[in-house]
């Protein structure tokens, strides 16, 4: 039985209507499982990425940032094991032309008879399973020949591995230390779907922490806990988060141990991976040493020894966390004394796309001027919105639906005593605040955590 309600269809519609997320190339009928972030979506995702960057890079002196290129030398992907091993088993149905993952048939539906899984309906004609590589291939330079094949990276991690010594030496870091980056990754998924949950173009936030062999499992435990705490601090409900440990058959080709942070997306989707914490041992650095013929060892001066570090990786999808934050935040509720209920995105204030909306109660008596003055004053510090159309109730509803934590109203009293009312999204409590103190008032509530 589903533990949490299924809000996905309502969210997809809200996201389009209110400028969070649009289907890519919609006017041409859309591109398969690729999405564009609209004005509010780009703010939400950026806020999530900023929180990750602040937690992983800016607030620590043992992690450095990096922004490596998407296109890498093709040998990278031979060394990493992706050319040979980044495959899903694929079956085709000769009748309906559907394509399914052979190892996930039980999760799929026969397009002609959705009550059955592919292969169970009399008309199904499934082919033998064959391996399908998930990397997108393209050509570098003018010649479309095999010598110029390059891949769109399927994970950002390899850009970190090949720069291990560049970063370590230029920043004079000592093991243990980490390298973090945020960037696009591409996978030609056979069964993408569930909105932005599994897409073919997505963003990863990855960190590789280089440690001395033998200390790896200690660091692995530490990073597991730290990453769970990060998701909780983002406002995801504790009851919707849990770890899933990979069994021997589930481990990726590079992993010695792996835990997923899973989130309950509700409905039939239920608990799904949003982040992976992996012990990659010295697999990647050793492979790159062999394929590049360049040493990727760390010299521990203090103990006068050389070794190839082990790597603890934390890998989280920016889009998946954005979806988790939206699902977690969506609620419908009735309001006391009002006939109409409201839809609220109860996002953590630090990730809300708009921090404060400013309304003049009426369009006269200098109220719009004062409201605009306040908006311009707050604009340097926060994302703000100005709205003077419709009743105050309607304006509140519009902001609740996109998760704005504070609505500021300029009324008849405001122009006289320079105070405004601030209404809080979740409690509906209203407070009179001096206009000059608004910045501090909002900052203390928005920036915390
Ligand atoms: N470097 C390790 C790695 O890439 P992964 O478990 O394949 O590990 C890590 O991916 C995270 O990237 C996932 O937990 C998920 O959040 C995100 N991710 C992976 N494939 C995705 C896809 N097709 N669409 C959206 N996010 C994806």
């Amino acid at each position: 039985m589903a533990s949490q309600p299924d809000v996905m269809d309502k969210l997809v519609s809200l996201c389009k209507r209110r400028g969070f997320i649009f289907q890519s190339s919609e006017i041409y009928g859309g591109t398969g499982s690729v999405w564009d972030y609209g004005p509010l979506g780009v703010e939400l995702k950026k806020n999530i990425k900023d929180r990750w960057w602040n937690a992983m890079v800016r607030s620590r002196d043992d992690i450095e940032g990096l922004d490596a290129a998407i296109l890498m030398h093709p040998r990278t992907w031979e060394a990493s094991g992706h050319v040979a091993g980044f495959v899903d088993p694929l079956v085709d149905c000769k009748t309906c032309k559907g394509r399914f993952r052979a190892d996930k048939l039980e999760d799929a539906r026969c397009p002609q008879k959705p009550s059955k899984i592919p292969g169970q309906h009399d008309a199904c004609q499934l082919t033998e399973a064959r391996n399908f590589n998930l990397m997108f291939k393209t050509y570098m330079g003018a010649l479309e020949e095999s010598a110029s094949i390059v891949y769109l990276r399927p994970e950002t991690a390899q850009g970190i591995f090949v720069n291990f010594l560049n970063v370590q030496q230029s920043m004079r870091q000592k093991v243990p230390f980490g390298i973090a980056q945020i960037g696009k990754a591409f996978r030609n998924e056979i069964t993408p779907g569930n909105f932005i949950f599994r897409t073919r173009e997505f963003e990863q936030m990855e960190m590789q922490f280089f440690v001395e062999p033998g200390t790896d499992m200690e660091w692995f435990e530490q990073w597991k806990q730290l990453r769970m705490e990060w998701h909780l601090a983002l406002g995801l409900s504790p009851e919707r988060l849990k770890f899933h440990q990979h069994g021997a058959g589930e481990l990726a080709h590079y992993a010695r141990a792996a835990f997923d942070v899973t989130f309950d997306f509700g409905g039939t989707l239920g608990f799904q991976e949003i982040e992976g914490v992996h012990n990659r041992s010295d697999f990647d650095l050793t492979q790159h040493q062999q394929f590049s013929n360049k040493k990727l060892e760390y010299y521990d001066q203090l103990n006068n020894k050389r070794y190839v570090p082990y790597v603890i990786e934390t890998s989280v999808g920016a889009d998946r966390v954005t979806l988790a934050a939206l699902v977690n935040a969506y609620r419908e509720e009735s309001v006391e004394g009002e006939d109409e209920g409201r839809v609220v995105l109860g996002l953590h204030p630090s990730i809300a796309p708009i921090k404060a909306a400013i309304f003049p109660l009426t369009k006269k008596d200098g109220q719009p001027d004062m409201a605009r003055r306040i908006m311009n004053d707050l604009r340097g510090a926060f994302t703000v919105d100005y709205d003077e159309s419709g009743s105050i109730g309607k304006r509140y509803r519009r902001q609740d639906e996109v998760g704005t934590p504070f609505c500021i109203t300029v009324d008849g009293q405001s122009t006289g005593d320079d105070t405004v009312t601030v209404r809080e999204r979740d409690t509906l409590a209203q407070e009179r605040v001096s206009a000059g103190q608004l910045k501090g008032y909002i900052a203390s509530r928005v920036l915390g955590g």
Side-chain angles (χ1 to χ4, degrees), residues 50-63:
D50 285 349
R51 277 189 71 112
W52 187 86
W53 193 257
N54 285 338
M56 301 297 275
V57 181
R58 295 213 168 140
S59 65
R60 301 183 62 115
D61 49 24
D62 59 353
I63 300 187

Side-chain angles (χ1 to χ4, degrees), residues 154-155 157 187 189 196-200 202 204 206 254 273-276 278 280 313 315-317 320:
E155 61 171 10
R187 294 181 190 178
E189 300 277 4
I196 54 169
F197 177 79
R198 182 171 287 110
T199 53
R200 294 194 166 107
F202 55 97
Q204 287 188 316
E206 295 201 300
Y254 50 73
E273 170 188 348
I274 53 174
E275 168 152 9
H278 311 128
R280 290 180 81 129
E313 165 183 75
S315 174
V316 57
R320 241 178 234 188

Side-chain angles (χ1 to χ4, degrees), residues 377 418 433-440:
D377 186 40
D418 210 34
V433 178
S434 146
Q437 285 171 356
L438 275 173
K439 232 182 229 169

